[in-house]
Amino acid sequence: MCGIVGYSSKDNFNLDKIKLLLTYNSLKRGEDALGIFSPINGLKKEAGLPVELIPKFNLQEDDYLIAHVRAHSSGGKLDQHAHPFQHKIDIEKYEGTITGVMNGTIENIWSL
């Protein structure tokens, strides 16, 4: 099962602690992909060993972060299957982008 790391505060996160959480999660929860989103870092996601991708992503401290390490279930170990996912919305008075991650397996994905 995948691992999720999140942070939100008026203060920036401690980069060393976030890297430690991502490393721990990758060893226990998923070694197939890493993805992060924060306003400063933008969206970065890639298939591969998270412990190798953490330094490659060159993360900067920020006041918000959502991160995901993936243990693939279906769909293979591909960049496009890494999380977070983003979706642009334009509904009535709401406009912007939703960023999210999930943890779990959808058993009936092909029938949906």
Side-chain angles (χ1 to χ4, degrees):
M1 201 168 287
C2 304
I4 299 170
V5 174
Y7 181 88
S8 179
S9 176
K10 61 183 178 192
D11 301 316
N12 285 351
F13 57 75
N14 178 301
L15 188 56
D16 290 333
K17 288 181 180 179
I18 292 295
K19 288 180 178 181
L20 181 63
L21 284 169
L22 290 173
T23 300
Y24 179 80
N25 269 278
S26 71
L27 297 173
K28 295 288 185 180
R29 306 285 286 180
E31 294 186 320
D32 298 323
L34 172 67
I36 66 101
F37 172 78
S38 83
I40 289 174
N41 292 287
L43 177 65
K44 298 178 182 185
K45 61 182 187 173
E46 189 173 324
L49 287 172
V51 293
E52 294 176 359
L53 295 171
I54 291 168
K56 179 180 177 182
F57 281 10
N58 192 28
L59 300 176
Q60 305 299 312
E61 292 183 354
D62 204 345
D63 61 0
Y64 174 85
L65 172 92
I66 187 167
H68 185 273
V69 297
R70 182 171 187 252
H72 94 282
S73 51
S74 63
K77 300 176 187 179
L78 304 171
D79 291 348
Q80 66 261 33
H81 295 273
H83 304 211
F85 295 107
Q86 289 189 325
H87 181 71
K88 295 194 183 302
I89 58 170
D90 186 6
I91 304 169
E92 296 178 21
K93 57 185 172 186
Y94 301 103
E95 184 177 333
T97 303
I98 295 173
T99 303
V101 298
M102 66 159 285
N103 186 14
T105 302
I106 301 172
E107 295 294 335
N108 62 338
I109 191 168
W110 304 118
S111 65
L112 293 174

